[in-house]
Amino acid sequence: MHFVAKLFAVSVCLLSLAGAGTVVAQNAQPVQTTTQPGEKPAQAPAVPAEGGAQPAQNTQPAADGKAQPAANVQQPAAGAAQPAQNAATPAQPTDAAVAAEAGQSQTAEQLAHAGKELARLRDLIAKASDDDIALAELKVQVDAVAKQIISTSIATRPRLDEIKARLTELGDPPGAGQPPEADIVTAERKRLLAERGEINALTGEAEGLSVQATKLSNGITATRRALFSNTLLKNTDVSVEMFDEALSATANETKVLSRSTMSWLTFVWKYKRIPLLTAIFLSICAALVFLVGSNKLFSPYIHHDKSDEEPSYFRRLSVAFWSTFIPTISTGAFALSSFFFLHSFNVLRSDITPIIAIALAVTVVGFFVTTLANAVLSPSDSRWRLVRVSDRGAKVLLVTIFAMALVNGLDYMFGGVSEALGSPVVLTVVKSFTASVIIGLIIIASAWIKPTLKHDEPFDAPGRPWPRLVSIVLILTGASLIIAAATGYVGLSRFIATQIIITGAILVMMYIGFLTGKAVSRQGAFAETAAGRYLERRFKLEQVGLDQVGLVAGLSIYALVTLFFIPLILLQWGFQVADIESWTYRAITEIKIGTITISLMGIMAGILFFILGYIVTRWVQRWIDGNIMARSRVDAGVRNSIRTGIGYIGVGLACLIGLSAAGIDLSNLALVAGALSLGVGFGLQNIVSNFVSGLILLVERPFKVGDWIVSGTTEGFVKRISVRATEIETFQHQSIMMPNSLLINASVGNWTHRNKLGRSEIAVTVTYASEPRRIMDLLAEIAAAHPMVLKNPSPSVGFTSFGDDRMTFELRIYVADVLTGGGVRNDLRVAIYERFRDEGIGAPFPLKIEDVPIGDQTGIESHEPETVGEPKGATSAEARATASKKETASAAPLDEENEEEGGKRRASSRRSNPNR
């Protein structure tokens, strides 16, 4: 039995998984597929190239299985007759035809080699019919040969399609009474028909070899299933004579083991002392590296924090998982490195090598089980205990688990010693019988342990018995092991005992790992860990970012637990390393759903290439924008268009490269394009219209990012031009997503299309008592004095209209940046008001004075600046007389955008308070 040895080989298995099953058969291709014991693989014969052709009917097989090529057809002379009417113009044999003949010869050689390889593997299978490990490796090689045969057959299809197409061009031979065709056409048809027959013969041969390989693989699966069943269900006659024979065999084995060990040690010490000491020294160094390194790097995760009085459940889970996983990995690495050094320096002898290997493997497994039990039960510190049991119960349970692991480990170690020394089988049977009975008794005794506690009881309480159901299950399990061993089913009893101890420990470890992943991915949990606090301090991550990192960490723990412990369970249940490698390779390269084959490796490669292409695209965008266009002082809108165009092209190329790397045939995308065209006609029309409109906006550039545009009722600044819509930010800082098609089909006003030069107008009203030319000169003088008003084009003033009680003037100015026009207009209005007031032209807006008693105006009259409608040079009395007779209006700068509302507001003000 090699169960523990196979457990020791898990490290090699995990390392070889990265090679995707690179088990190389002798003179064969790499590993492709396999099946588990009891599984019948699907038959995969080579597909014939010609549907109606019979295999190998037109050729005679040679002695070595290679099909003989057809007789060469004599080529026509250069001066052959012209083709008959309506005959296709034949093509002369070209280099392609010669290459095709060479390819057929190579295909025949490959098939012959595959036939010889199958015969060799058949002989090896017959010799290793009782060795499960050898059969697993041979099955991998058979599957590799079968896949090679299928690939060879498929390689002939392109040439066969060419031949069929050419024969269709040549047409059928002329019938009776029809004009004869040219000799060159007839010769070419015969040559093509002969070549098609050869290909059909090769395809038939490949189909036959594929069927043989499939039958051979199925036979290996059936043999391994029978071996597994016989190992578990083989009945042994348990009698006194068997124990007597085992007792005498034990004495002989002890002598042989002592003699072999002493002779090996003597030989090594005398003749290989330096290699032995070197190997021991390097092993000790490796042990120190693993011990110190694990404690240095993972100390917070594998040691209990004594200062933490009440550790959280997540903290206890994390410490239990990592304090078991990391030391076990370190111990396994030390054992593997020790065996490697001893074997590399040729210190081990052939009969000692399996003993050392099984001893190291049993040590690692025993360490794993004991460490896990100690982490879960924590008998010395109840604060870190994962299960609610009493202190005394935790110690008793730990001793019980350690005893069962020790008995099972000694059983496998002594069994390995017996196998290495060639001891009788009866000795191995008695050892397994004894171990199964002892483990059964320990399980029965554990049913009377009192470890449980109530929720309100302290951990140092005496404890209570197991629930009745648990006690019954423990008693029945232990009794079944003893009964199975006593009735002769020692192999089954040993297998069950091993699964209870080893597989049970692995399942507990997986459960703790999954709980740890679930806890760390919980919202807000990762921020409480040491890693979360470091990331928050180092990269200034916020709570949302830490939660996302915690989710990734939780998923990573799930993947780590699954990928590490599932192979261990499979090894425990009788599967070999070659099986796991083959399944892994097939899972990541050949997942078949109907007729569709999905490759996880291809998908991951496609995603990786897409991510790399996306990163390169973004880097090129930043480099061109920051180094080339920035130094060239290119306009911001042009820079945005170029940057966006590069992004579209780069992402498109990254998608194509990713699809190709994923193994997706781009020619099949024609179906997707057809479906999209149908969808465009129905539901995707607007989306495509907006996408095309976005491209037009980027190329034609009627506006660019940063422009001030007006479209319908929407006015604001362009912030972003995307694939579907353009983002416009209004003056109230409201973002409006306007579909690109609307901006293409509707009229759009752009205040900053070619430049930012803009004109602003300010309307000014004065009473008829003012001089128009004086008003125009003042306005022109005020505009010319402002520093942001352009001199060229120069400002101008126009007398625009006559009103009922006022004259209207308009000041027109030009500014270099239209975005500053509002501020300039504001400054000019203030300047106009102050200048008109100083000049005595009037109040800031027209006034209407009617029916106001003289007594009510006394407060106003004492303030000369409040004189209403007083022309320059007139007295106050004259002004009051004029105001009492008719409605007067003063100069008032008006905002062109609110002129009507301002007039209504001022009229209302005049009616309510004429002296305001």
Side-chain angles (χ1 to χ4, degrees):
M1 303 297 293
H2 302 280
F3 295 114
V4 180
K6 287 179 283 187
L7 282 177
F8 175 67
V10 67
S11 299
V12 180
C13 170
L14 292 176
L15 291 175
S16 57
L17 288 181
T22 54
V23 178
V24 182
Q26 182 179 358
N27 297 327
Q29 298 296 324
V31 177
Q32 302 296 335
T33 56
T34 187
T35 56
Q36 62 180 359
E39 179 185 354
K40 182 177 180 180
Q43 185 174 351
V47 180
E50 184 72 8
Q54 298 297 327
Q57 287 187 354
N58 297 329
T59 59
Q60 297 296 329
D64 57 358
K66 177 180 177 182
Q68 298 292 336
N72 294 331
V73 180
Q74 182 178 0
Q75 299 298 328
Q82 296 295 328
Q85 184 178 5
N86 297 330
T89 303
Q92 297 292 337
T94 60
D95 295 339
V98 176
E101 293 180 1
Q104 294 173 21
S105 300
Q106 183 179 2
T107 300
E109 293 176 359
Q110 292 177 353
L111 293 178
H113 177 75
K116 294 178 181 179
E117 187 68 19
L118 286 177
R120 185 185 67 83
L121 292 175
R122 190 179 293 108
D123 295 338
L124 294 177
I125 291 170
K127 295 178 182 179
S129 58
D130 57 348
D131 189 347
D132 186 67
I133 298 177
L135 288 176
E137 295 177 354
L138 290 173
K139 186 179 186 305
V140 170
Q141 299 180 29
V142 171
D143 292 338
V145 174
K147 188 165 185 178
Q148 180 187 5
I149 293 171
I150 296 176
S151 300
T152 303
S153 176
I154 293 176
T156 62
R157 291 182 180 178
R159 179 56 184 167
L160 185 63
D161 294 338
E162 294 177 2
I163 293 174
K164 292 170 65 176
R166 183 56 184 164
L167 289 175
T168 302
E169 293 178 0
L170 295 177
D172 297 331
Q178 294 182 352
E181 63 182 0
D183 294 339
I184 189 172
V185 176
T186 304
E188 184 176 3
R189 183 183 291 108
K190 291 181 179 179
R191 180 178 61 81
L192 294 176
L193 290 174
E195 186 177 352
R196 186 178 66 177
E198 293 177 9
I199 295 177
N200 289 336
L202 293 174
T203 304
E205 183 181 356
E207 181 180 358
L209 292 175
S210 179
V211 171
Q212 294 179 25
T214 302
K215 290 181 179 179
L216 198 58
S217 178
N218 293 339
I220 295 176
T221 302
T223 303
R224 293 185 63 196
R225 189 189 308 117
L227 285 175
F228 185 75
S229 301
N230 294 335
T231 301
L232 295 182
L233 303 178
K234 182 179 180 180
N235 188 272
T236 304
D237 185 15
V238 180
S239 61
V240 179
E241 291 79 8
M242 182 188 71
F243 288 98
D244 292 339
E245 183 180 355
L247 186 60
S248 60
T250 302
N252 294 332
E253 183 184 84
T254 304
K255 294 178 182 179
V256 174
L257 177 61
S258 177
R259 184 171 58 252
S260 299
T261 305
M262 293 304 299
S263 63
W264 172 66
L265 291 175
T266 303
F267 173 79
V268 169
W269 186 255
K270 286 184 178 181
Y271 302 103
K272 293 189 176 182
R273 183 182 306 175
I274 296 179
L276 174 63
L277 296 177
T278 304
I280 295 175
F281 173 75
L282 293 176
S283 300
I284 295 175
C285 291
L288 292 176
V289 169
F290 292 126
L291 179 63
V292 175
S294 60
N295 286 321
K296 185 70 174 177
L297 296 176
F298 306 102
S299 178
Y301 306 101
I302 62 179
H303 295 299
H304 296 169
D305 187 3
K306 296 182 180 180
S307 62
D308 195 350
E309 295 295 335
E310 293 183 1
S312 63
Y313 186 67
F314 164 70
R315 175 65 176 161
R316 287 181 287 161
L317 279 175
S318 177
V319 171
F321 178 77
W322 295 113
S323 64
T324 303
F325 183 76
I326 295 176
T328 302
I329 291 296
S330 300
T331 305
F334 162 69
L336 188 62
S337 62
S338 300
F339 183 82
F340 171 77
F341 290 134
L342 292 172
H343 189 272
S344 298
F345 287 97
N346 294 324
V347 176
L348 299 178
R349 203 168 59 188
S350 59
D351 56 338
I352 300 298
T353 299
I355 298 176
I356 299 296
I358 195 68
L360 292 174
V362 169
T363 302
V364 173
V365 174
F367 178 82
F368 163 67
V369 175
T370 306
T371 304
L372 177 62
N374 185 70
V376 174
L377 298 174
S378 185
S380 60
D381 193 349
S382 59
R383 296 174 303 169
W384 297 88
R385 194 170 299 159
L386 293 180
V387 291
R388 186 167 181 77
V389 296
S390 63
D391 293 338
R392 184 176 181 279
K395 295 177 181 178
V396 175
L397 286 175
L398 180 62
V399 173
T400 302
I401 294 173
F402 174 76
M404 289 192 297
L406 179 63
V407 172
N408 188 261
L410 292 176
D411 175 29
Y412 274 93
M413 189 173 68
F414 290 153
V417 171
S418 299
E419 184 178 355
L421 299 179
S423 301
V425 179
V426 66
L427 182 58
T428 303
V429 173
V430 171
K431 292 176 182 177
S432 299
F433 176 86
T434 305
S436 299
V437 172
I438 294 175
I439 292 175
L441 292 175
I442 293 174
I443 294 176
I444 293 175
S446 64
W448 280 274
I449 300 176
K450 299 179 180 180
T452 61
L453 292 172
K454 289 186 177 180
H455 294 288
D456 55 349
E457 290 182 336
F459 286 104
D460 55 357
R464 299 175 179 272
W466 293 109
R468 183 177 300 274
L469 180 60
V470 176
S471 299
I472 293 175
V473 170
L474 291 174
I475 294 173
L476 292 178
T477 303
S480 64
L481 288 178
I482 297 175
I483 294 173
T487 54
Y489 294 100
V490 179
L492 179 61
S493 178
R494 185 191 192 194
F495 179 79
I496 295 175
T498 302
Q499 305 316 313
I500 291 175
I501 299 171
I502 309 300
T503 306
I506 295 174
L507 291 177
V508 170
M509 188 68 179
M510 291 183 65
Y511 180 69
I512 295 176
F514 287 139
L515 288 180
T516 303
K518 181 179 179 181
V520 77
S521 60
R522 192 175 65 249
Q523 186 175 5
F526 186 76
E528 301 175 359
T529 63
R533 290 191 293 269
Y534 171 77
L535 292 177
E536 182 180 9
R537 182 175 63 257
R538 177 66 176 80
F539 299 101
K540 308 298 181 182
L541 293 180
E542 298 181 355
Q543 185 64 42
V544 176
L546 292 175
D547 288 339
Q548 294 174 350
V549 176
L551 180 60
V552 175
L555 295 177
S556 301
I557 293 176
Y558 289 155
L560 175 66
V561 171
T562 303
L563 294 177
F564 187 83
F565 291 105
I566 291 298
L568 290 178
I569 295 178
L570 294 177
L571 289 173
Q572 281 295 303
W573 284 80
F575 297 99
Q576 303 299 329
V577 175
D579 296 328
I580 299 176
E581 290 177 348
S582 179
W583 294 337
T584 304
Y585 180 83
R586 186 170 58 185
I588 63 179
T589 58
E590 296 178 351
I591 298 179
K592 292 187 177 180
I593 303 177
T595 58
I596 301 175
T597 301
I598 301 175
S599 173
L600 293 181
M601 183 64 71
I603 293 175
M604 289 187 291
I607 294 174
L608 179 61
F609 276 108
F610 174 76
I611 293 175
L612 290 177
Y614 183 82
I615 294 174
V616 170
T617 300
R618 291 293 178 256
W619 179 82
V620 170
Q621 283 181 304
R622 290 193 297 269
W623 185 82
I624 292 178
D625 184 62
N627 291 273
I628 297 178
M629 291 188 292
R631 296 180 182 181
S632 303
R633 298 182 180 179
V634 180
D635 182 74
V638 177
R639 292 170 61 178
N640 177 74
S641 298
I642 295 176
R643 186 170 57 249
T644 306
I646 293 175
Y648 287 162
I649 295 174
V651 172
L653 291 177
C655 289
L656 293 178
I657 295 174
L659 292 175
S660 299
I664 299 176
D665 188 2
L666 298 180
S667 61
N668 295 332
L669 295 180
L671 298 176
V672 180
L676 286 177
S677 63
L678 184 63
V680 168
F682 290 96
L684 301 178
Q685 181 177 355
N686 291 333
I687 296 177
V688 175
S689 175
N690 289 326
F691 175 75
V692 175
S693 299
L695 296 179
I696 294 174
L697 292 177
L698 291 173
V699 175
E700 186 179 297
R701 299 179 64 246
F703 55 82
K704 56 187 179 296
V705 174
D707 280 359
W708 175 10
I709 65 172
V710 180
S711 179
T713 59
T714 303
E715 181 176 6
F717 299 99
V718 177
K719 289 298 182 182
R720 186 169 63 93
I721 303 174
S722 61
V723 174
R724 189 192 67 84
T726 296
E727 179 183 353
I728 300 175
E729 185 180 89
T730 64
F731 301 116
Q732 292 78 25
H733 288 276
Q734 178 189 24
S735 294
I736 298 177
M737 304 299 172
M738 181 171 289
N740 293 328
S741 58
L742 296 181
L743 296 174
I744 289 293
N745 297 325
S747 59
V748 178
N750 190 344
W751 286 93
T752 57
H753 180 46
R754 292 184 176 85
N755 52 58
K756 294 185 178 182
L757 178 67
R759 194 184 82 169
S760 294
E761 297 84 15
I762 300 176
V764 178
T765 61
V766 296
T767 63
Y768 284 101
S770 303
E771 297 182 18
R773 297 188 181 278
R774 176 61 178 166
I775 297 299
M776 295 174 64
D777 293 339
L778 287 176
L779 293 177
E781 182 180 344
I782 293 172
H786 198 285
M788 298 185 67
V789 175
L790 295 180
K791 301 299 186 291
N792 185 19
S794 60
S796 61
V797 180
F799 191 166
T800 57
S801 65
F802 293 98
D804 294 337
D805 54 2
R806 62 178 183 255
M807 299 179 291
T808 303
F809 296 84
E810 186 177 67
L811 174 61
R812 306 181 184 95
I813 61 171
Y814 291 88
V815 291
D817 188 352
V818 70
L819 301 179
T820 63
V824 174
R825 288 194 299 270
N826 184 73
D827 295 342
L828 291 176
R829 290 191 183 101
V830 173
I832 292 172
Y833 171 78
E834 294 175 348
R835 185 66 178 275
F836 278 24
R837 184 190 60 188
D838 296 340
E839 295 288 338
I841 294 177
F845 46 80
L847 297 176
K848 183 176 182 180
I849 303 175
E850 54 186 16
D851 300 332
V852 179
I854 299 299
D856 294 341
Q857 302 181 24
T858 57
I860 303 299
E861 292 173 349
S862 62
H863 301 282
E864 293 183 359
E866 296 294 331
T867 302
V868 179
E870 179 181 353
K872 187 176 181 179
T875 64
S876 299
E878 294 174 348
R880 284 195 298 271
T882 304
S884 63
K885 294 181 179 180
K886 69 174 184 177
E887 177 184 353
T888 60
S890 64
L894 298 178
D895 190 337
E896 66 278 8
E897 300 170 351
N898 299 308
E899 181 178 357
E900 183 177 355
E901 294 181 1
K904 293 180 180 179
R905 185 170 60 251
R906 288 190 293 272
S908 176
S909 177
R910 287 195 302 270
R911 288 191 297 269
S912 61
N913 187 7
N915 294 319
R916 181 179 173 181

